[in-house]
Amino acid sequence: MSAKLFHYMKETPPDSVFSDIQTLNKFQDEQYGHLVQYVFGFLTDPSKSFRLMTQLEDFAAENGVSAGALKNVFKSFLSIPSNALKKSLTPEQIREDLINLGLSDAKADYFGEQWKTNQLALSRSALGQTLMVNQLLDMEWKFGVTAASSELDKVGNTFLQLKLVINTGNGVSNSYMELTLPQFYSFLHEMEKAKASLEYLT
Amino acid sequence: MCRAVKGSACKSVVSLSCYNLQCFSWISEGSNETLEFSIFFVARKNKIFDAPNKEAVLKTCQEAFLYRDRRNVPDAVLDRVAQQYNVSKVQASKLLKAVGTLMKNAVFQGSTDPADLIKLFPDDFHKSLRDLLAKIMIESMASWKSQAVNNQVSLPRMVDFDWRVDIKTSSDSIARMSVPTCLLQMKVQDNPLRVDQVPNVSNISVELSKETLDTMLDGLSKIRDQLSSVANR
C-alpha cells in the first residue's frame, strides 16, 4: 500500500482503522448521520461518556448490529476528529483524511460540513478543558462600618470583607480576607489595569 | 512617709510642700458597675512640674498604654520605672497597670475635650497632676486610637497583592492557541495569636479567565458605587 500522508496523524493509522471505516461505509446515510451526531456530541462534552454508551447501545439495538463491534468501529471513527481537534485541522483536511482512509465521498463530505458548523463549539470546549491552576469559582463580598469595639467607644472605619471560592485540584477551598478602603481602591485600580491588558491581548 | 523638702520652694500653686505616695480610687464614668482603681503615683520631691519629669510621666503613660493588655510587663521596663520613681518593683507594676487602665478608659471614651477627660478623675484628685495627665492624654489620643484600631478583631487582613497577565499558547487539548489569562496573588496576614510573634503571612494564588475577571470587576464596581453613594449622603 502506498504510504499516504495523513493530516490527523503523523504515522499511518493502523489497519483496524481502515477496516472500521469500511464498515462505516455499509451504514445507510440516516444511520451514518446519527453516528456523526454522537461523535460531535461527545467531543463537545467529553465528560458525558455514559450518555455516549447508552446512545451506542440503543443504536445497536435499533439497527440490529452487535454492540461490541459497533463500539470498536465508533472508537476508531472518534479518534480521527479528536486528533484533528487538537491540531485544529480545516474541514478540507479532515475530508481528505477520511477519503484516504476509505470512506465514501458522500459520507466524507457530510462529515466535513458538520465539522465546519461545529468547529466553534468544539474549539470552545477544548479551551474550556485546558488546565487552570487555582481557578476562582466565586467571590462574595460585604462591606460595612465598625461601630464600636472593646477599646474604642466610637469607631467609624469602613471595611470590606471578601470570600473567595477557589477550585484547588483537590476540591474547593474558601479564603476570607478583609481590606481597608484605600486597599480596596488600589485593588480595584490594579484589576482594571489587568482587564485592559487582557482586552488588548484578546 | 512625708519627706521634708530641702530648702527649695515648690513652684506649683498647690500648697502642698512635698509629695508622697498617694492613693486614689474613683468611680469610672460611663460604666455600669463601680470599678475601683487604685493609682499609686510617686513624684520626686519638688520636681514634678519641671520639664524632665514631665517627659518621664509622658513616657510612663505611653509604656503603660503599650502594655495595657499584657499580664506581665517585661522586667526591663519594670526595673526602669521602679528606678525612676524610686519604688519597689511590685509598686512599679501596680503603677503601670493602673495608669494603663486609666489610659484605656480615656481612649475608650475617645473625646479630646479636656472637660470630658477631667470627668474621668475623682473630684479630690490632685489638680495639677490631673491636668498633666489630661494633657498627655490629649496629645497621645490620636496615635493611641490608631493603635487600638490596628489591634481590633478582624478577619485575616490583606497586606499586599500582585498580578500578572500570561498568554497560554498550547495545551493538551489544543496544540495552538492564544488565550490570555490573569494570575493574582494576595498576601494575607492572620490576626496575632501571641504577643511576641508576628503573625504569619500566607499567599493565596488565583487564576482568572477573562470572563471571571470581568464578572469580578462588575462586583467591585458595584461596591465602589455603593461606597460613593454612602459617602455623598
Side-chain angles (χ1 to χ4, degrees):
Chain A
M1 173 155 47
S2 60
K4 295 199 196 112
L5 277 179
F6 286 93
H7 291 119
Y8 86 98
M9 271 183 84
K10 273 201 217 119
E11 313 86 17
T12 318
D15 285 342
S16 57
V17 179
F18 285 101
S19 56
D20 287 334
I21 298 288
Q22 295 301 327
T23 326
L24 264 183
N25 270 331
K26 298 191 199 131
F27 281 114
Q28 305 276 347
D29 280 345
E30 200 187 308
Q31 298 162 326
Y32 174 73
H34 285 307
L35 284 178
V36 169
Q37 268 180 16
Y38 297 157
V39 166
F40 282 108
F42 181 68
L43 284 177
T44 335
D45 198 358
S47 55
K48 303 270 197 322
S49 58
F50 183 69
R51 184 184 70 179
L52 178 67
M53 289 295 123
T54 36
Q55 280 172 334
L56 287 180
E57 277 164 15
D58 293 340
F59 185 87
E62 273 169 32
N63 296 303
V65 293
S66 82
L70 178 65
K71 283 187 185 152
N72 283 335
V73 168
F74 194 81
K75 208 180 350 178
S76 313
F77 187 38
L78 187 60
S79 68
I80 305 168
S82 79
N83 279 344
L85 184 57
K86 286 193 193 172
K87 299 199 174 156
S88 303
L89 296 182
T90 64
E92 288 73 31
Q93 286 169 321
I94 289 217
R95 201 180 138 274
E96 243 180 67
D97 274 351
L98 287 172
I99 292 184
N100 284 340
L101 282 170
L103 197 59
S104 69
D105 280 354
K107 292 196 165 73
D109 285 341
Y110 178 71
F111 194 87
E113 272 169 35
Q114 288 297 310
W115 180 263
K116 204 187 293 197
T117 34
N118 281 330
Q119 200 163 19
L120 189 59
L122 285 174
S123 322
R124 199 165 282 159
S125 86
L127 284 186
Q129 293 161 47
T130 311
L131 181 67
M132 276 197 98
V133 179
N134 276 356
Q135 186 183 16
L136 181 67
L137 295 176
D138 192 19
M139 177 178 90
E140 290 178 22
W141 53 266
K142 76 168 135 182
F143 77 89
V145 177
T146 316
S149 77
S150 61
E151 301 224 297
L152 296 162
D153 199 19
K154 289 191 263 293
V155 191
N157 303 331
T158 4
F159 61 84
L160 174 78
Q161 287 176 355
L162 284 181
K163 169 182 163 187
L164 299 173
V165 182
I166 301 178
N167 174 23
T168 67
N170 299 326
V172 171
S173 87
N174 300 331
S175 31
Y176 301 88
M177 64 188 80
E178 192 168 303
L179 280 74
T180 64
L181 228 48
Q183 279 176 329
F184 165 68
Y185 281 121
S186 88
F187 183 61
L188 180 60
H189 185 57
E190 295 291 320
M191 285 298 105
E192 286 182 341
K193 272 199 239 169
K195 172 175 163 168
S197 265
L198 277 183
E199 279 182 359
Y200 173 69
L201 291 169
T202 309
Chain B
M1 292 242 261
C2 229
R3 292 178 216 185
V5 174
K6 254 216 219 163
S8 36
C10 217
K11 289 190 205 140
S12 80
V13 292
V14 180
S15 57
L16 284 178
S17 60
C18 66
Y19 302 121
N20 50 15
L21 273 174
Q22 300 190 320
C23 168
F24 304 100
S25 62
W26 68 91
I27 300 169
S28 134
E29 289 268 35
S31 66
N32 288 336
E33 40 198 5
T34 307
L35 298 166
E36 297 233 348
F37 296 103
S38 307
I39 189 171
F40 293 87
F41 202 99
V42 181
R44 287 227 285 246
K45 0 177 210 200
N46 288 352
K47 290 221 176 135
I48 184 168
F49 295 112
D50 284 355
N53 240 24
K54 284 192 192 134
E55 293 299 314
V57 172
L58 173 65
K59 195 149 188 299
T60 310
C61 290
Q62 283 177 343
E63 274 176 353
F65 186 76
L66 191 60
Y67 296 114
R68 67 194 181 284
D69 288 324
R70 302 250 197 127
R71 212 181 300 172
N72 295 318
V73 182
D75 274 342
V77 180
L78 278 181
D79 284 338
R80 193 163 15 96
V81 172
Q83 212 178 23
Q84 221 169 12
Y85 294 103
N86 225 356
V87 291
S88 73
K89 247 171 109 170
V90 172
Q91 288 169 332
S93 144
K94 283 193 190 160
L95 168 65
L96 279 178
K97 242 193 228 351
V99 174
T101 320
L102 171 63
M103 298 300 143
K104 247 177 109 165
N105 273 357
V107 171
F108 183 77
Q109 57 89 36
S111 130
T112 46
D113 187 7
D116 288 333
L117 289 176
I118 290 188
K119 285 199 211 134
L120 288 175
F121 298 88
D123 289 332
D124 55 353
F125 197 80
H126 188 279
K127 294 243 175 330
S128 325
L129 184 56
R130 179 191 70 190
D131 291 337
L132 175 62
L133 287 176
K135 191 157 147 293
I136 292 177
M137 285 181 212
I138 292 174
E139 275 173 15
S140 323
M141 183 72 78
S143 77
W144 285 345
K145 266 191 184 172
S146 63
Q147 275 182 38
V149 164
N150 279 342
N151 270 352
Q152 72 188 6
V153 177
S154 78
L155 289 182
R157 291 161 210 223
M158 182 173 90
V159 189
D160 195 12
F161 70 93
D162 254 327
W163 61 268
R164 80 174 195 213
V165 166
D166 285 344
I167 299 192
K168 301 195 240 202
T169 49
S170 80
S171 88
D172 187 36
S173 42
I174 283 201
R176 281 186 48 195
M177 60 185 189
S178 154
V179 174
T181 173
C182 176
L183 287 165
L184 176 65
Q185 184 194 63
M186 289 175 282
K187 291 198 175 35
V188 174
Q189 187 181 47
D190 295 323
N191 280 337
L193 291 173
R194 292 176 56 104
V195 276
D196 52 357
Q197 275 176 3
V198 179
N200 59 342
V201 177
S202 59
N203 290 336
I204 299 180
S205 296
V206 186
E207 181 172 347
L208 307 160
S209 67
K210 186 166 180 317
E211 292 78 26
T212 319
L213 183 57
D214 282 344
T215 316
M216 184 171 92
L217 227 41
D218 276 343
L220 293 179
S221 309
K222 272 201 216 112
I223 300 177
R224 181 186 51 197
D225 294 339
Q226 291 198 12
L227 279 172
S228 56
S229 79
V230 165
N232 288 339
R233 227 187 287 144

